[in-house]
Amino acid sequence: MGVNTQWEMGRSEAACSPGTVVVRLDRAVKTYRAGSSRVRALDGVDFSLAAGTWTAVMGPSGSGKSTLLHCAAGLDTVDDGRVALCGEDITAADDRRLTRLRRGTVGFVFQNFNLVASLSAEQNVALPLRLSGAGVRRDQVRGALADVGLADRGRHKPRELSGGQQQRVAIARAMVTRPVVLFADEPTGALDSTSARAVLALLRAMVDETGQSIVMVTHDPMAASAADAVVFLSDGRVVDRLDRPSANRVAERLASLEV
Ligand code: ADP
């Protein structure tokens, strides 16, 4: 299968089978201008995510977490180093290819859900299909809502749903295109602890049962402990990694970085 065909499909089965690396950053550097000086938001970051695994990214405010997420997902570009998705170097990808990538290969979930208030849950979930021009199949949309436990809420508007339900609609919307990688930016940050646990259990089930790959930025040690591994950033560098972390271990490590 040719490279372009893989990208056209959105999901690259050959390069993204279990055990392969779906996200890779090699010595990634990203600088921003801050007045007359420059900030190195990513200062030579190496990062890799194996297919079918979930990594949390933590670190003090300003340590580069959002920048890492955005560069890894093709929302932003690095100044130096390489970023690859499913073995494809996206560092030099043009806008058209990056747009295709965003619509097919990666999915996003945000802290504040970012649902369209005037649309029903079903219409929100259908949006990525409309945008990709793939055509909207109702069974696909309903299936995505059923997968997040909201089969009976399709006609509800976001304001008629709890925060946890809205986030689950957002997850259904992200997953309806069957992205290779789900990028989640503080997905439980706006939720009460019960709703947060439900969302984390849902993400965990997606990884364990369907082999979904997830990169999640979080401040919450409890959320991070649901992941397979936690990578810690400080001043744009990866300074530590914990595998199968407990919330206590994560909290301790985070506190030591925030001092
Ligand atoms: P985090 O997500 O860990 O809080 P960020 O990735 O948002 O960290 O930011 C890392 C560093 O880059 C910070 O010093 C931040 O101020 C800076 N930064 C991020 N985005 C921009 C931007 N668009 N313009 C200028 N500086 C930025």
Side-chain angles (χ1 to χ4, degrees), residues 153-164:
R153 294 287 194 275
R155 290 175 187 278
H156 288 57
K157 298 270 173 63
R159 67 172 176 277
E160 297 163 339
L161 300 169
S162 70

Side-chain angles (χ1 to χ4, degrees), residues 30-34 39-42 57-70 76 185 217 219 233 236:
K30 177 74 181 178
T31 55
Y32 291 109
R33 202 182 299 278
V39 177
R40 271 172 105 79
L42 299 181
V57 180
M58 301 193 89
S61 181
S63 59
K65 303 181 294 296
S66 302
T67 306
L68 184 145
L69 196 79
H70 292 162
D76 206 345
D185 197 352
V217 166
H219 280 107
L233 292 182

Side-chain angles (χ1 to χ4, degrees), residues 53-57 204 224 226-231 241-245:
T53 68
W54 178 4
T55 292
V57 180
R204 190 67 248 171
D228 297 304
V230 185
V231 163
R241 176 190 167 98
L242 294 175
D243 289 300
R244 286 274 160 205

Side-chain angles (χ1 to χ4, degrees), residues 170-194:
I171 291 170
R173 180 180 58 181
M175 295 306 300
V176 75
T177 55
R178 300 183 64 233
V180 173
V181 192
L182 179 67
F183 290 96
D185 197 352
E186 296 275 4
T188 57
L191 302 180
D192 63 77
S193 63
T194 305

